[in-house]
Structure formats: C-alpha cells, structure tokens
Amino acid sequence: MQPYLAFNHYLGKRVHLGVCGSISAFKALELLRMLQGTGAHLSATLTPSAMRFVTPLSFEALGAAPVYGEMFDTRDALYGHLDPGQDADGFVIAPATANTIAKLACGLADDMLSCQTLAFPHPLVIAPAMNPRLWNAAATRENWAKLNERGHVCIEPECGAMACGEEGRGRLPQLERIYLQALRAVTRQDMAGRKVLITLGPTREPFDCVRFWSNPSTGTMGAALAVAAWLRGADVTAICGPVDLWLPEGITRVDVSTAREMFEAASDVFSEVDVACFSAAVADYRPANPSAEKFKKGQGELQVQFEANPDILKTLGTRKSQQQFLIGFAAESGQLDANCRAKLTAKKLDLIVGNDVTAQGCGFGHSTNGVTVLDAKGRMEIWPVLAKTEVAWRVWDWMLGL
Ligand code: C5P
C-alpha cells in the first residue's frame, strides 16, 4: 500500500464485506487485509457462487468474524440474515456481480448477502466485476442507474482485458479505489462543506530542453493531506508538481511542472477555497533563459544564471480573506522554531508545519515525518516521528479545533 493511503484511524469501526461469484473474488481477500490495516474490524458474507471461487475459511483465517455463507447454515446466528444492520459502519460489496446488482436494485432477498444488504440502513459501497456484455446489458445499466439514484456509492468498473479473453469495461475497480471509498463511508465528515487547496510535490525548472533543476520531494506529505481531507468530506483540489502518485477521482487534480505554472494554477482557485495548504517543495530559483537546445559538453565550464521564482504562498497570503485558513510547510536544516515563527508571520499563516529535513525518518521521500507545529495564536507542539498520514490527520484536527 502506498504510504499516503495507509490511514489507521478506524479502531472501533466495523466494515462488512460482501463477496459475489466472480473470478476476481480472490481480490476480496487482499481488500480485507487492506481494510484491517486501518484498525477496522471486518466481517464478511459470501454468496453461494462466491464460495465456488473462495472459501469462508480463507476469510476466517485472515481474522474476519463472523463470516456468513449459506442462508440456513446452522453455524450462523439465527438472525444472521439481519446482520450487520446497525452494528456495521460500512457495507462494501466487492466484487458485485450482475446478479447481485439486479437483486439489490429490485430488493430481492433470496440469499444471505441480498437479505443482509436489504436490512442495512446506510448506503452501500458497490464495486462490480463482470464480463463487458453483462455490464453493458440494458437490464444491468438500468439496475446500476437505480443504485446510483438511491445514493449508494457506486464505483465504476475498469476497462481492460477480462479473464475470458474479451476486452472492455467490467474489471473489478483497482483495490485502492474500493478501499478509499469504504473508508470514506465510515469516516466522520467533519470537513464537509469546506473547499481545500493543496500544493504538493517538487517543481522542475528547465536549464535546457532536457535538463531541469529540482529536489527529491515525492509529494507523499501533500498527498496524505489531500486524501485525509477528502476522506473527511472536504472538496479537495490538489495542484501537483511532477510526482508519481495516484489520487482518488473524487479529488480535483491539476498537474503542473514549474513554479510559475503552480503559481498560476493556485491563483486560479485560491479565492474560492476556505483552506489552502502549501506543502509543495517549490524551487525558489529557476535558470534564466533556458536554452531550447541541449547544452553540449566539451565547451569548458557551464555557467547558469538563476532568477527568483514567485513565492506562491507569500503572494497568495497577501490576498487572504478573513475567512480563509492558510497552512504553510517549512523544510529546514536547523533553527526550526525560530525559522517557523518568522515564516508564520512573514507569510501571514494560520498554521505552520516545520520539519528538519536532515533528521532521521523526516522529510523527502520518507513515509514518516517528525514535525513542529505552530499556530498564529501562539500554540506550539513538537510531534514525535509519525506516519505522514497521521501527521496529516492531526493537522486537520488542529485546524478544526481552532
Ligand atoms: O520560505 P520557504 O520556502 O521555506 O517556505 C516554505 C513554504 O512556502 C511551503 O509551504 C512552500 O510550499 C511555500 N512556498 C511557495 N512558493 C515558493 C517557495 C515556498 O509556495 N516559491
């Protein structure tokens, strides 16, 4: 699992996993593990056809409890057909077949899973997997539209090569997509109604047509902030420097390369957002007059003139309204407190998160970070080295508490 998706704030939550009969049913075991990694308790129900592909024992062995199968299995509780009901915070069906989707749409309850879903009082998270002809069939299209209209979280299947050799739409959605939608369904929506802008990753400043000046930022911290805000209900726009990371489709993503592009993209949305968080490692300088042709070697020393890039955060800080909340990051290699304090004032920030990039387990490319956090009211905390997802979660907690 990518480190910016590894949240572990779900102790005490229960997620029920429904599994239908598809060749992709084995992937439900991996999904179970991913969700367990968040601290959530998992239980499961397999349809009779799912049990032809995977066994209840596989789910039990991985710690899911209870695991339901046959409707009238004496092992199951007498009222198992009504479980999990209010006891589960979320109910995810992955993979969902055309048959189960049809049952959900019509309210049929002729097996354990369909009966339990009918008795579940909250929206379901549904991740289909089937042959493209089944997916494109008029009946499936109508059933899927009905489930969407009812407010269930309906994750579109993906395109690609099917097990049967055909190509088309019908592949089980990527597990990270299902995992995140499942988490969002059980997360308190305490950032709902807030528009959040986040800058993340490095910028690249070209010397010539093939070389650039940059830094090793991977965007992990910013991605963790973006995903955490989205899980908590915020409307998130992520302005990404060149990074190799995937974000869920619920986040509006703008890809840029240079600091000037990042500045333009951030300026475009800044006035509309309630919260702006600048975690990008922006290059402060760029080569002046980058050459359209490749520099040739063998011509003695290379001299490159640099000119200053816009300070995106500082410039937008001057345009900040009373209602907007501004968060900055500071990567330092010494005098963390003093430097953070100075930046908090100079950039008109409400909160600053500083880290010593030379400390162990901190900064660029790590999945962990050790930060000092300071707000404009004078509160300061030094946090131990934590997962970046934990730092992100705590930053939003701090903002909500102000
Ligand atoms: O002044 P310094 O570069 O240390 O400030 C870091 C903070 O300012 C970070 O939040 C970073 O994203 C932001 N920044 C910016 N534009 C720059 C330089 C830094 O937005 N050109």
Side-chain angles (χ1 to χ4, degrees):
M1 161 108 53
Q2 298 91 321
Y4 61 95
L5 302 179
F7 291 90
N8 59 1
H9 304 88
Y10 295 88
L11 201 68
K13 298 278 185 192
R14 177 177 167 194
V15 178
H16 193 76
L17 182 58
V19 185
C20 306
S22 152
I23 184 61
S24 64
F26 73 94
K27 294 184 184 171
L29 291 164
E30 179 62 22
L31 180 63
L32 175 92
R33 302 280 280 171
M34 291 165 77
L35 290 167
Q36 285 172 328
T38 68
H41 175 79
L42 267 289
S43 47
T45 301
L46 280 68
T47 62
S49 40
M51 288 189 280
R52 307 294 289 262
F53 290 93
V54 282
T55 69
L57 182 62
S58 315
F59 289 83
E60 280 164 354
L62 290 177
V67 177
Y68 297 99
E70 296 293 345
M71 182 92 145
F72 300 106
D73 189 335
T74 48
R75 282 187 335 146
D76 295 336
L78 190 55
Y79 294 105
H81 66 298
L82 303 177
D83 200 37
Q86 292 285 11
D87 290 343
D89 303 278
F91 198 139
V92 184
I93 309 177
T97 52
N99 179 48
T100 291
I101 286 172
K103 287 189 202 184
L104 294 175
C106 297
L108 286 184
D110 64 348
D111 63 15
M112 199 58 144
L113 180 62
S114 54
C115 203
Q116 289 176 331
T117 51
L118 200 58
F120 187 69
H122 309 297
L124 304 162
V125 176
I126 310 169
M130 66 193 75
N131 173 280
R133 279 179 285 145
L134 299 179
W135 176 249
N136 290 320
T140 308
R141 304 267 40 76
E142 281 173 27
N143 292 332
W144 189 243
K146 249 188 217 169
L147 296 178
N148 264 297
E149 275 162 29
R150 271 184 216 152
H152 295 301
V153 180
C154 296
I155 313 175
E156 290 288 310
E158 290 172 15
C159 281
M162 310 299 296
C164 59
E166 289 180 33
E167 289 264 346
R169 188 171 293 279
R171 284 177 62 88
L172 184 73
Q174 184 193 331
L175 291 187
E176 284 78 4
R177 290 175 65 205
I178 310 173
Y179 161 84
L180 285 180
Q181 290 291 0
L183 289 192
R184 193 164 192 261
V186 302
T187 305
R188 214 170 118 219
Q189 301 293 284
D190 54 5
M191 289 179 73
R194 290 182 200 243
K195 288 192 170 175
V196 177
L197 159 70
I198 296 172
T199 68
L200 61 94
T203 62
R204 284 182 183 170
E205 313 298 332
F207 286 114
D208 65 16
C209 59
V210 291
R211 300 183 184 93
F212 54 81
W213 161 260
S214 189
N215 62 65
S217 168
T218 55
T220 304
M221 189 62 244
L225 284 155
V227 176
W230 175 79
L231 285 173
R232 296 170 76 154
D235 175 355
V236 181
T237 299
I239 299 178
C240 306
V243 286
D244 180 20
L245 45 81
W246 167 88
L247 292 174
E249 55 259 44
I251 292 178
T252 305
R253 178 182 185 143
V254 184
D255 285 302
V256 297
S257 184
T258 66
R260 283 184 292 180
E261 286 167 11
M262 188 173 276
F263 179 55
E264 259 177 50
S267 305
D268 283 350
V269 288
F270 184 73
S271 64
E272 294 156 26
V273 300
D274 307 295
V275 182
C277 176
F278 294 80
S279 70
V282 185
D284 294 319
Y285 292 90
R286 63 173 180 271
N289 312 314
S291 162
E293 282 169 28
K294 200 178 152 201
F295 286 136
K296 291 273 183 261
K297 63 177 177 247
Q299 294 168 2
E301 282 184 8
L302 176 66
Q303 298 274 348
V304 180
Q305 184 80 28
F306 281 87
E307 59 193 9
N309 263 332
D311 188 322
I312 307 168
L313 173 52
K314 195 169 181 184
T315 315
L316 294 180
T318 63
R319 300 180 199 161
K320 185 180 107 153
S321 75
Q322 281 282 313
Q323 290 73 35
Q324 283 179 311
F325 194 92
L326 207 55
I327 305 174
F329 274 70
E332 303 291 343
S333 53
Q335 295 185 304
L336 194 56
D337 294 9
N339 288 334
C340 282
R341 247 175 246 289
K343 276 180 197 172
L344 187 82
T345 317
K347 301 200 180 195
K348 296 190 167 52
L349 304 179
D350 297 289
L351 193 77
I352 187 157
V353 184
N355 64 302
D356 180 350
V357 282
T358 62
Q360 213 175 5
C362 297
F364 295 140
H366 288 281
S367 59
T368 53
N369 214 354
V371 300
T372 295
V373 188
L374 240 103
D375 69 24
K377 292 187 176 161
R379 178 174 153 212
M380 186 185 106
E381 282 183 15
I382 301 168
W383 294 347
V385 173
L386 299 167
K388 283 183 173 171
T389 46
E390 178 63 25
V391 173
W393 206 269
R394 290 187 184 198
V395 164
W396 296 132
D397 282 345
W398 191 316
M399 181 197 77
L400 293 173
L402 279 172

